[in-house]
Amino acid sequence: MGHREDLLEGAKRCLLAKGFVRTTARDIVKESGTNLASIGYHYGSKDALLAQAYVSLVEGLGDAFEGDGTAGITAEPGSIERFQEVWSNIIGTMREPGSVWRLSVEITAMGDQLPQVRDHLSHAQLEAGRGIIPLLMGGREEDVRDETVDTLGKFYLTLMTGLITQWTFDPETAPSAEQLTEGLRQVIEAATRK
């Protein structure tokens, strides 16, 4: 690996161990075996590097959203059953000790103090909305229209953000996929009554 990749891997390890606020440039350099100047050269700043490292960590969870590798997602795209399967997989990533999702809570709480991180992740969040739609509704990510990202994508991301907060704050009372699905059924039922 080159310095750029070493820095990214070192930053990921630092994020998981210390979070955004407590990670220093010196921590990253020590963890990556590089030098301070290489952070600016390759990423512009420590915050930009940490933002990229966080995005990379989250992207690494994408396969877990699709299942454990044995069965995958079997339900029909757009169905209630598919909704439950996918959210069960997503919640599974939140149950793991040292979950990357706690970093999301830190960013939310510290966003105004981390403007470069916030700006970078705002763009990444839109792309996450584009990526989650095919997972739940079927189709290909590249075919998802911007208008759909602005509605359905944002709906799913709002649900995800709420889940992340609840699972980070109090996993004992955080909702299961079954509870979310039952809530969705009740919303659909109420909305379709005449």
Side-chain angles (χ1 to χ4, degrees):
M1 284 194 298
H3 274 204
R4 183 174 177 77
E5 294 80 17
D6 291 340
L7 285 166
L8 188 64
E9 292 304 312
K12 287 197 259 185
R13 289 189 295 273
C14 287
L15 279 176
L16 291 172
K18 294 182 145 196
F20 276 93
V21 175
R22 293 185 344 191
T23 296
T24 67
R26 292 192 188 284
D27 293 332
I28 297 167
V29 166
K30 181 179 177 185
E31 189 65 37
S32 65
T34 61
N35 59 62
L36 283 172
S38 60
I39 293 174
Y41 178 78
H42 290 291
Y43 291 94
S45 71
K46 176 197 77 152
D47 285 348
L49 168 57
L50 289 176
Q52 186 58 49
Y54 173 76
V55 169
S56 182
L57 286 167
V58 172
E59 285 173 348
L61 294 174
D63 290 342
F65 290 1
E66 295 180 29
D68 63 7
T70 56
I73 299 170
T74 59
E76 185 72 24
S79 67
I80 294 283
E81 294 77 19
R82 174 84 160 229
F83 180 91
Q84 184 168 325
E85 281 184 7
V86 171
W87 287 105
S88 179
N89 294 341
I90 291 171
I91 289 170
T93 68
M94 296 176 191
R95 294 179 195 270
E96 299 169 6
S99 169
V100 70
W101 298 117
R102 71 179 169 76
L103 296 170
S104 296
V105 174
E106 183 180 359
I107 292 167
T108 302
M110 302 294 294
D112 59 336
Q113 296 173 34
L114 302 167
Q116 192 172 13
V117 172
R118 184 191 60 226
D119 293 346
H120 183 81
L121 295 179
S122 292
H123 176 71
Q125 187 174 17
L126 289 175
E127 290 312 305
R130 186 178 308 281
I132 199 168
I133 291 169
L135 189 60
L136 287 143
M137 304 303 286
R140 299 178 326 152
E141 187 173 332
E142 56 268 22
D143 295 335
V144 176
R145 295 183 3 238
D146 291 344
E147 297 80 18
T148 306
V149 173
D150 283 342
T151 55
L152 189 57
K154 286 181 178 180
F155 170 78
Y156 287 140
L157 287 177
T158 299
L159 183 57
M160 173 92 83
T161 303
L163 277 172
I164 290 167
T165 302
Q166 290 180 31
W167 275 92
T168 301
F169 182 71
D170 186 10
E172 296 296 318
T173 61
S176 67
E178 292 79 12
Q179 290 170 317
L180 287 178
T181 305
E182 180 54 31
L184 178 61
R185 282 185 222 276
Q186 291 176 25
V187 167
I188 292 169
E189 225 174 80
T192 57
R193 271 192 224 132
K194 294 192 176 197

